[in-house]
Amino acid sequence: MKNYINLIIAFLISISTFAQEKPVKIVFDVTSNDTIVHQSTIRHVKAMSKAYPESEFEVVMYSGSIDMVLKEKSSVAFDLEVLAKNENITFVICEGTMKRHKIDASEIIPGVTSVPDGILEIIQKQAEGWGYIKEGQ
Amino acid sequence: MKNYINLIIAFLISISTFAQEKPVKIVFDVTSNDTIVHQSTIRHVKAMSKAYPESEFEVVMYSGSIDMVLKEKSSVAFDLEVLAKNENITFVICEGTMKRHKIDASEIIPGVTSVPDGILEIIQKQAEGWGYIKEGQ
Amino acid sequence: MKNYINLIIAFLISISTFAQEKPVKIVFDVTSNDTIVHQSTIRHVKAMSKAYPESEFEVVMYSGSIDMVLKEKSSVAFDLEVLAKNENITFVICEGTMKRHKIDASEIIPGVTSVPDGILEIIQKQAEGWGYIKEGQ
């Protein structure tokens, strides 16, 4: 009996060791309409992706942050488009937010993808073990 | 021996499959005194609870967000009271915050419940596997 | 066969019971330059550490919150220095943020420690099971 308990413990330890060794995954939550928040988000993603190239980053924009992804209005359009070309960096805008602001896909910065629901996207990433960072003042 | 390892793996996989299938649970953290944040919180809870009626939502208000639950001051009093009637939506105010602002229970919008400590409530929900969304600009 | 399944279930239940009984661990994320946010963060840590003396608290400051740890500029210098003397309370500033603001270690309030990357610190704490609270309006 004791052997099986040891076996289970060893197995659980091996799972947890594996978990610690894998690269970080971070989902960033951006809801602010403040360009300072948009700029610091880009700075964070740029610095983190440079320091941890094996890691994965996803920036989810919804609620008040719609301007951040608009070609004509974003204060970070250039950097965002360049960063989005990295395989391990994803920028997603909430389709509910697009609809509410009457935004057409053609107005969005190239490379930004969309999800039906920004909050659900974040919660699902959390459930998959991604770290969560709320951007904001 | 190998059979038992397979058994354990199968068991753990079945747990994880079950976890993925169960409806989402989200705790919202509101500390802002900004009515725009109060309104977007209500909009998020309304939209999510409509889209995912099997899920559970809890809005924890503490620190600067006391006005959101006050009958006489809340900009979202009507919607909050209606939403709170749903079995799967809970609004809770921190009793420490009530005390600090000298608020009596009679001043609180009907349907809002209270917890001794807002932060502890959020941390406990996270520990139980609930997703976490910080509301704010 | 059934016996081993029962054994595994009992073992997993015992793990989860243990998890619920251990004291809370909370990492606070502060990026705001707003002194009201600095003051509410200190108020939260003070109240929580008094109520739950067996628990652990870490406040990670980065991005816009640099003033909070500067001897000459912090609006919470005294309280922060006193709280930092507790074994179960840690205040850490991001070295990347210090560099960006050209801050020397001598300008930092005594007791504050530093980490190379504030976001990585927070994500690692989350991965270790710490609860996460974003401070902010």
Side-chain angles (χ1 to χ4, degrees):
Chain A
M1 195 66 116
K2 215 179 147 191
N3 278 341
Y4 292 113
I5 294 179
N6 287 341
L7 180 66
I8 294 167
I9 291 171
F11 184 70
L12 290 171
I13 288 171
S14 74
I15 293 175
S16 105
T17 308
F18 175 73
Q20 281 168 9
E21 277 168 9
K22 68 180 177 187
V24 296
K25 295 181 176 189
I26 307 176
V27 58
F28 295 90
D29 171 333
V30 189
T31 56
S32 178
N33 62 6
D34 186 340
T35 54
I36 292 177
V37 174
H38 302 172
Q39 286 153 19
S40 58
T41 302
I42 291 293
R43 197 176 61 239
H44 297 156
V45 173
K46 203 187 275 187
M48 295 292 288
S49 61
K50 203 177 160 187
Y52 313 101
E54 301 294 306
S55 293
E56 277 184 78
F57 308 94
E58 180 165 310
V59 182
V60 180
M61 291 152 291
Y62 65 104
S63 212
S65 65
I66 185 77
D67 284 1
M68 188 173 165
V69 298
L70 297 183
K71 286 177 192 169
E72 302 296 327
K73 289 192 175 173
S74 178
S75 70
V76 294
F78 178 79
D79 279 344
L80 197 160
E81 191 172 343
V82 171
L83 283 170
K85 286 177 181 154
N86 288 281
E87 261 187 24
N88 58 333
I89 305 175
T90 312
F91 289 92
V92 298
I93 179 73
C94 170
E95 289 163 17
T97 303
M98 285 175 65
K99 210 172 284 177
R100 203 163 54 83
H101 289 270
K102 301 191 173 87
I103 299 298
D104 186 77
S106 64
E107 299 172 64
I108 305 286
I109 294 167
V112 175
T113 54
S114 71
V115 289
D117 190 306
I119 290 178
L120 188 70
E121 175 71 11
I122 290 168
I123 293 303
Q124 284 175 334
K125 290 292 177 195
Q126 289 181 4
E128 291 167 15
W130 288 52
Y132 171 72
I133 293 289
K134 172 72 179 192
E135 293 284 349
Q137 292 281 9
Chain B
M1 197 66 117
K2 215 178 145 193
N3 278 341
Y4 293 113
I5 295 179
N6 286 341
L7 180 66
I8 294 166
I9 291 171
F11 183 72
L12 291 171
I13 288 171
S14 76
I15 293 174
S16 107
T17 308
F18 175 74
Q20 281 168 8
E21 277 168 9
K22 69 180 176 190
V24 296
K25 296 182 176 188
I26 307 176
V27 58
F28 294 90
D29 171 333
V30 190
T31 56
S32 179
N33 62 4
D34 187 340
T35 55
I36 293 178
V37 174
H38 302 171
Q39 286 153 18
S40 56
T41 302
I42 291 293
R43 198 177 60 239
H44 297 156
V45 173
K46 201 187 275 188
M48 295 291 290
S49 61
K50 202 178 162 188
Y52 313 102
E54 301 294 306
S55 294
E56 276 185 79
F57 308 94
E58 180 165 309
V59 181
V60 181
M61 292 152 292
Y62 65 104
S63 210
S65 64
I66 186 77
D67 284 2
M68 188 171 165
V69 297
L70 297 184
K71 286 177 191 168
E72 302 296 326
K73 289 192 174 172
S74 178
S75 70
V76 293
F78 179 78
D79 280 344
L80 197 160
E81 191 172 342
V82 171
L83 283 171
K85 287 177 181 153
N86 287 280
E87 262 187 23
N88 59 333
I89 306 175
T90 313
F91 290 90
V92 298
I93 179 73
C94 171
E95 290 164 16
T97 302
M98 284 175 66
K99 210 170 286 178
R100 203 162 54 81
H101 290 270
K102 302 189 173 86
I103 298 299
D104 186 77
S106 64
E107 300 172 65
I108 305 286
I109 294 166
V112 175
T113 55
S114 71
V115 289
D117 190 304
I119 291 179
L120 188 70
E121 174 72 11
I122 291 168
I123 293 303
Q124 284 175 335
K125 290 293 178 195
Q126 289 180 3
E128 290 167 15
W130 287 53
Y132 170 73
I133 293 289
K134 171 72 178 192
E135 293 284 349
Q137 292 282 7
Chain C
M1 196 64 118
K2 214 180 148 191
N3 279 341
Y4 292 113
I5 294 178
N6 286 341
L7 180 66
I8 294 166
I9 291 171
F11 183 72
L12 290 171
I13 288 171
S14 75
I15 293 175
S16 106
T17 308
F18 175 74
Q20 280 168 8
E21 277 168 9
K22 69 179 176 190
V24 296
K25 296 182 176 187
I26 307 176
V27 58
F28 295 90
D29 171 332
V30 189
T31 55
S32 179
N33 62 5
D34 187 340
T35 54
I36 292 178
V37 174
H38 302 173
Q39 286 153 20
S40 58
T41 302
I42 291 294
R43 197 176 61 239
H44 297 155
V45 173
K46 202 186 275 186
M48 294 291 289
S49 61
K50 202 177 161 188
Y52 314 101
E54 302 294 306
S55 294
E56 277 184 79
F57 307 95
E58 180 166 308
V59 181
V60 180
M61 292 151 291
Y62 64 104
S63 212
S65 65
I66 185 77
D67 284 2
M68 188 171 166
V69 297
L70 297 184
K71 286 176 193 169
E72 301 297 326
K73 289 191 176 175
S74 178
S75 70
V76 293
F78 178 78
D79 279 345
L80 197 159
E81 193 172 341
V82 171
L83 283 171
K85 286 176 181 153
N86 288 280
E87 260 186 25
N88 58 333
I89 306 175
T90 313
F91 289 91
V92 299
I93 179 73
C94 170
E95 290 164 16
T97 303
M98 285 175 66
K99 209 171 285 178
R100 203 162 54 82
H101 289 270
K102 302 192 174 84
I103 299 298
D104 187 77
S106 64
E107 299 171 65
I108 305 285
I109 294 166
V112 175
T113 56
S114 70
V115 290
D117 191 305
I119 290 178
L120 188 70
E121 175 72 10
I122 290 168
I123 293 303
Q124 284 175 335
K125 290 292 177 197
Q126 289 180 4
E128 290 167 15
W130 288 52
Y132 171 74
I133 294 289
K134 171 73 178 191
E135 292 284 350
Q137 294 280 8

